[in-house]
Amino acid sequence: MSFFSAGTFVAWGSIAYKYGFVAVTIQWTMCLGGIITAFLLAPRWKRTGALTAAEFIRQRLGAPVQKFYVNIFLLVSLFNKGAVLYPVAKLVSVSLGFPLTSCTIVLGLMMIAYTAIGGLWAVMVTDILQFVILTAAVLMVLPLSLDAAGGWEKFTQQVPDDFFHIINGEYAFGFIVAFALYHISYIGGNWTFVQRYTSVDSAKSAKKVAFLFAALYLISPVIWMLPPMIYRSIDPSLTGLNTENAYLQVCRLVLPPGLMGLMLTGMYFSTSATANTTLNVTSAVITNDIYKALINPGASDRQLIRVARLSGLLLGIGMIGVALLVPAAGGMIEVVLSIAAITGGPSLLPPLWALFSKKLTGKAAYIISGASLLINLLFKLVVPVLTTLKLSRSEEMLLGVGLPFLLLLFYEFVIATKEPAKEYVEYRLFRLQQQQETAIQSAAEKEAIRKQNHFGLRVIAFSLAFTALMLYILSLLAASGNILVAVIATVVLLTAIIPLRAARKLRKQPGYMLQNNIPQTDSDAHHHLKNRESKNEAYDERTRQ
């Protein structure tokens, strides 16, 4: 859900209205990216022992290279999430009649506020709740919109002949291939997703995260994109940027007032979830990988929290500014796809390559990323002005992903020596030392973590039950679709049992730490470490030799 936003309905909904099923094909590339990530990338990220992608880049490629990628990440996040804030502000503005600028500022400030107050836990709980709310709302829209169109047969008769082709318009086969390669690198290497893979308990769990993402993106795009496709048969008059309103228009047509509010709430929280996750990750990078690592290594927890909140505030304000400029840049589709084409491959592929390569050096990664970014920017901004050459959408995406990939291949098999890079040797030695120096947390800290997990699960269970109650009330008040709303409310109520059972199971595990071979006291931890050191002594000696 950190990948998902109201932009899905605005950007891809616009494509679904204009070109049809190709909007689903485009989103299926995200499913492919999740599958490849599950098999190859997510477990490797977990095995690095790093908590963030920036930390791995510093360990593997060096601090100067890390600074370079941190700057790119912060800049790209600023523009990407600013573009994501724009569509939800537009949805609220159009549906409620408020000025777009005011909606953008108010919604942006709300996102900043609860990210700063709640941190990652607030983002995670919101992810789950907005997934449930939005799924409930979307499942209502689909049958109601089909009914408004006069049924499936009439819908298919009223749309163009090529409406159900898997490729269509400017979204040709080359674009789909390039976009699939981009999403493999994005889902596997974007710092927001890397945090999901590294924060779980094992490589197996990291793989499950990516598989769940892939499964949801196999099914969900069909459910999401059918309503704007159906609306094309009801009202084919939308043109230009107005096609971005297709999903909202079909919702206004078929949903009664209470359910329309539910849809807007779901869209807002879906957008806030992806923006909040980015704010949280960027604040973590600025706080841990810049301020603590480079500026003030002895900073207290209180100082780090202040820096994190201040950095989140400044980044959030920047996002609001970008969102206000999106209409002038040609709309959300142009902004999102251009950013993806220009920065995706150069910023994500070299760090991913470093997960596998023993030869890649920090200098080579820096040069390949910098050269690819420069060439992509030239073809996007300079070449069309000086010449008549302008790359198509497919060519732009292929250049953005293909160029750094080819440069990495050329370096790996032509330029690089047969011996492992110095940075790789130092990284392996660091990892061996890190594995031997087992992090010892006090029993009190372990218990605090367990209590926090228990509390979070109870909050999720309560929130799901409360959401179900609101849906039951809506089923009584709604002018139409009452039975459908009540059925979905029942499903949501049943899902509340899952976190509730998990919380009870966690509470009944007083021996949780012993069962997981975690020492419960500092004395136990000392003996645990001594035993481990003695067992590994022979292996350690061979490693040093």
Side-chain angles (χ1 to χ4, degrees):
M1 296 311 296
S2 298
F3 185 78
F4 177 81
S5 71
T8 299
F9 299 112
V10 173
W12 308 133
S14 173
I15 295 174
Y17 178 86
K18 290 190 290 185
Y19 300 110
F21 196 80
V22 69
V24 176
T25 307
I26 291 172
Q27 292 180 79
W28 276 346
T29 64
M30 304 166 195
C31 170
L32 178 62
I35 293 172
I36 300 298
T37 298
F39 281 113
L40 299 178
L41 302 174
R44 280 189 176 267
W45 277 117
K46 179 59 185 175
R47 294 190 191 107
T48 63
L51 294 177
T52 65
E55 183 180 345
F56 168 74
I57 292 172
R58 185 180 73 248
Q59 295 169 358
R60 173 65 179 84
L61 300 173
V65 181
Q66 181 205 37
K67 291 179 187 177
F68 172 73
Y69 284 111
V70 164
N71 291 330
I72 294 177
F73 173 74
L74 295 178
L75 191 62
V76 170
S77 297
L78 186 67
F79 282 94
N80 255 335
K81 302 315 171 186
V84 164
L85 177 59
Y86 159 75
V88 73
K90 184 173 183 179
L91 289 170
V92 173
S93 173
V94 171
S95 60
L96 301 182
F98 296 146
L100 179 60
T101 301
S102 301
C103 289
T104 303
I105 293 173
V106 172
L107 295 176
L109 290 175
M110 287 171 63
M111 293 178 187
I112 296 168
Y114 85 73
T115 302
I117 294 169
L120 186 60
W121 255 115
V123 175
M124 297 294 283
V125 172
T126 305
D127 275 359
I128 294 171
L129 292 183
Q130 62 89 6
F131 170 76
V132 171
I133 293 172
L134 194 64
T135 301
V138 170
L139 287 175
M140 296 174 200
V141 173
L142 180 55
L144 293 175
S145 59
L146 194 59
D147 183 63
W152 180 264
E153 186 175 349
K154 189 174 181 180
F155 154 56
T156 55
Q157 291 172 354
Q158 296 294 325
V159 295
D161 294 337
D162 59 358
F163 211 57
F164 287 92
H165 291 182
I166 59 173
I167 56 175
N168 198 355
E170 60 184 311
Y171 305 100
F173 180 75
F175 175 85
I176 299 300
V177 171
F179 214 45
L181 293 174
Y182 165 74
H183 276 118
I184 292 171
S185 59
Y186 188 86
I187 296 165
N190 182 273
W191 293 11
T192 300
F193 294 107
V194 170
Q195 191 182 42
R196 297 293 195 245
Y197 310 139
T198 60
S199 64
V200 293
D201 61 341
S202 66
K204 184 178 179 181
S205 294
K207 184 181 290 189
K208 286 181 180 180
V209 172
F211 271 132
L212 177 60
F213 177 93
L216 290 173
Y217 256 99
L218 178 65
I219 301 167
S220 299
V222 179
I223 301 172
W224 295 335
M225 294 299 104
L226 275 175
M229 290 172 63
I230 293 169
Y231 190 68
R232 174 69 180 268
S233 69
I234 300 173
D235 179 11
S237 64
L238 298 182
T239 58
L241 289 181
N242 286 329
T243 59
E244 293 183 342
N245 298 331
Y247 205 100
L248 179 63
Q249 294 293 359
V250 71
C251 290
R252 294 177 69 177
L253 177 66
V254 303
L255 291 178
L259 297 183
M260 185 63 195
L262 182 70
M263 172 61 76
L264 285 174
T265 302
M267 287 186 175
Y268 169 71
F269 276 103
S270 69
T271 304
S272 66
T274 184
N276 291 137
T277 301
T278 300
L279 282 176
N280 188 275
V281 173
T282 49
S283 294
V285 169
I286 292 173
T287 305
N288 295 318
D289 299 303
I290 297 179
Y291 180 75
K292 184 177 181 179
L294 305 175
I295 299 175
N296 186 6
S300 66
D301 286 347
R302 185 179 294 274
Q303 288 174 311
L304 294 177
I305 287 294
R306 286 175 179 170
V307 171
R309 287 176 173 164
L310 178 61
S311 60
L313 173 64
L314 295 177
L315 286 165
I317 292 172
M319 283 170 47
I320 294 172
V322 170
L324 295 173
L325 297 175
V326 168
M332 184 179 176
I333 295 176
E334 179 64 29
V335 173
V336 170
L337 292 183
S338 295
I339 292 174
I342 293 170
T343 66
S347 63
L348 299 174
L349 282 176
L352 281 177
W353 199 275
L355 285 172
F356 300 89
S357 174
K358 299 179 181 180
K359 301 178 182 179
L360 185 65
T361 64
K363 183 179 179 181
Y366 180 87
I367 292 173
I368 290 170
S369 291
S372 300
L373 276 172
L374 181 61
I375 293 172
N376 289 342
L377 284 169
L378 286 174
F379 274 96
K380 180 65 180 179
L381 304 175
V382 180
V383 172
V385 175
L386 300 179
T387 69
T388 58
L389 176 64
K390 180 175 173 60
L391 298 181
S392 67
R393 188 80 78 193
S394 301
E395 292 168 340
E396 189 176 87
M397 190 63 68
L398 280 171
L399 176 66
V401 178
L403 179 60
F405 183 73
L406 291 176
L407 290 176
L408 286 165
L409 279 176
F410 183 74
Y411 176 82
E412 184 79 13
F413 297 106
V414 178
I415 298 178
T417 61
K418 294 182 179 180
E419 296 297 321
K422 179 184 176 183
E423 290 94 333
Y424 177 78
V425 175
E426 292 175 349
Y427 171 69
R428 290 305 304 161
L429 291 173
F430 170 79
R431 284 290 294 133
L432 287 170
Q433 182 180 6
Q434 188 182 51
Q435 290 167 3
Q436 292 164 17
E437 295 174 355
T438 306
I440 302 173
Q441 294 173 312
S442 68
E445 187 173 357
K446 287 292 184 181
E447 182 62 19
I449 291 172
R450 191 171 74 91
K451 287 181 177 179
Q452 188 181 55
N453 290 337
H454 180 257
F455 175 74
L457 288 167
R458 291 181 63 192
V459 169
I460 292 168
F462 170 80
S463 301
L464 289 173
F466 185 78
T467 302
L469 176 61
M470 294 295 99
L471 288 172
Y472 279 125
I473 294 174
L474 275 178
S475 70
L476 298 175
L477 301 177
S480 60
N482 308 70
I483 297 176
L484 181 62
V485 177
V487 170
I488 292 175
T490 303
V491 174
V492 173
L493 183 61
L494 292 175
T495 60
I497 298 174
I498 299 172
L500 187 62
R501 290 185 64 186
R504 288 179 177 176
K505 184 178 179 181
L506 190 64
R507 188 181 60 182
K508 293 178 181 179
Q509 292 180 344
Y512 170 80
M513 291 174 286
L514 287 175
Q515 292 169 13
N516 289 277
N517 295 318
I518 301 170
Q520 288 188 293
T521 66
D522 292 342
S523 176
D524 293 340
H526 178 74
H527 291 301
H528 177 81
L529 183 59
K530 282 292 183 182
N531 291 335
R532 177 168 177 167
E533 287 177 348
S534 63
K535 290 178 182 178
N536 292 334
E537 187 175 344
Y539 173 76
D540 294 344
E541 182 60 30
R542 288 198 302 272
T543 301
R544 282 191 290 270
Q545 291 174 356

